[in-house]
Amino acid sequence: MQDFDAVNYGNRLGNNKMLMTLVAKEFLKESAGLVEQLLAYAAAEDWTNVARVAHRIKGASAEVSGLAMSDTAKRIESAAQADDATTVQQALEQLQKEYKALTAALSSSEF
């Protein structure tokens, strides 16, 4: 699965370059804090808040066509709801890699 689907992103936002830039900048601004919260809640084994923040990440990354990150966040959300610490921890490692790839792709894109 792609870290960033530029064609999908353009189609979702009507290929409006100004809107695409605005949404990408907002994601970049907000997502770092969400990932930090997710890691902190996971370290504290606060599964309710892990699920809540993973849900927000799932939606935010889908909004910018970060399909791999959105899928991983969905797995984390489901695992947290099931109190499955092992799956959460494994998926967190993957999410961090996908986050770096998605932010790099968005930062370097010229819409």
Side-chain angles (χ1 to χ4, degrees):
M1 185 173 291
Q2 289 180 276
D3 291 314
F4 174 62
D5 186 337
V7 172
N8 178 277
Y9 187 53
N11 290 340
R12 290 174 49 75
L13 298 178
N15 290 307
N16 180 325
K17 296 189 183 310
M18 189 183 318
L19 182 59
M20 292 167 71
T21 299
L22 178 69
V23 171
K25 284 182 180 180
E26 188 63 25
F27 174 81
L28 292 169
K29 185 174 96 176
E30 299 295 323
S31 62
L34 290 174
V35 171
E36 286 179 22
Q37 285 178 6
L38 184 65
L39 294 171
Y41 287 134
E45 298 185 356
D46 181 346
W47 306 127
T48 300
N49 279 314
V50 167
R52 181 183 59 78
V53 175
H55 182 80
R56 289 183 62 200
I57 291 171
K58 176 180 71 175
S61 55
E63 182 70 23
V64 294
S65 298
L67 306 179
M69 185 175 174
S70 181
D71 185 59
T72 301
K74 181 180 178 179
R75 278 197 344 238
I76 292 169
E77 180 183 12
S78 295
Q81 290 168 339
D83 294 334
D84 182 353
T86 302
T87 299
V88 168
Q89 292 303 328
Q90 291 170 346
L92 280 174
E93 291 176 24
Q94 184 65 31
L95 183 109
Q96 290 176 76
K97 291 175 189 172
E98 292 162 351
Y99 170 70
K100 287 178 184 175
L102 178 57
T103 57
L106 289 172
S107 296
S108 66
S109 292
E110 294 191 21
F111 302 112

